[in-house]
Amino acid sequence: MKKIAIYPGTFDPLHKGHIDIIRRAVGLWDELYIAVADSPHKGTLFSLEERKAMIQNEFEESKNIKVISFNNLLIDLASSLSARILVRGLRVVSDFEYEFQMLGMNRTMNPDIETVFLMAEPQYQPISSNFVKDIARLGGDISKFTSLNVTNKLKEKF
Ligand code: ADP
């Protein structure tokens, strides 16, 4: 049976920390769904379609990566895709508390679904979408933090 994993997030926008986690995850499981959260309450800079398109652009060569969107519970999404693994990236200590609670509550709702935490290379760990957007907004160089395509998309926005 195929081992299917889901990497959920807001990806507003995709950056090199995310890309590092995706490369690691795709080497571990047969199929990886990158699930982009609709998150209308978060007031994202990029629309759902824009966020998906930026990820698709980065991984169009990878046959075992699929980019989807979701607006339901992660455990329900996992069940509908026959996925048993949720991938999350861990950066700073402050991520831990939120992730700990999310894992605990997801496990209570569905004990068959396992959350796996991966860490990016040290140089990519401090990157966050919010800082990438702030730096871009102020005219800074973000090319070390994200791909050329996303860098250009951010330039268009500001
Ligand atoms: P969310 O709103 O779910 O936190 P994000 O797009 O910010 O969405 O992040 C998606 C996932 O990627 C989360 O698991 C987050 O911890 C992880 N992540 C974000 N930035 C990094 C990074 N620099 N290194 C490793 N993991 C990261």
Side-chain angles (χ1 to χ4, degrees), residues 13-105:
L14 180 78
H15 58 62
K16 287 190 178 175
H18 298 132
I19 293 173
D20 184 294
I21 298 294
I22 293 167
R23 296 227 162 98
R24 283 165 203 283
V26 83
L28 291 172
W29 297 290
D30 302 316
E31 229 167 66
L32 179 70
Y33 284 92
I34 304 174
V36 184
D38 195 358
S39 307
H41 59 285
K42 281 198 178 168
T44 56
L45 175 67
F46 291 98
S47 70
L48 181 61
E49 286 315 312
E50 287 173 318
R51 285 178 281 141
K52 274 176 70 182
M54 286 185 277
I55 305 172
Q56 257 144 4
N57 180 278
E58 223 61 54
F59 297 101
E60 57 193 353
E61 306 284 292
S62 312
K63 299 227 166 354
N64 45 352
I65 293 180
K66 293 195 175 81
V67 186
I68 57 169
S69 55
F70 74 106
N71 59 6
N72 53 344
L73 277 177
L74 262 176
I75 49 153
D76 293 338
L77 177 73
S79 302
S80 68
L81 296 170
S82 307
R84 285 198 51 215
I85 302 141
L86 296 178
V87 180
R88 296 288 291 170
L90 268 191
R91 295 169 285 196
V92 285
V93 183
S94 55
D95 276 344
F96 180 78
E97 202 170 325
Y98 174 79
E99 297 294 340
F100 175 82
Q101 286 188 307
M102 190 160 87
L103 182 153
M105 295 189 73

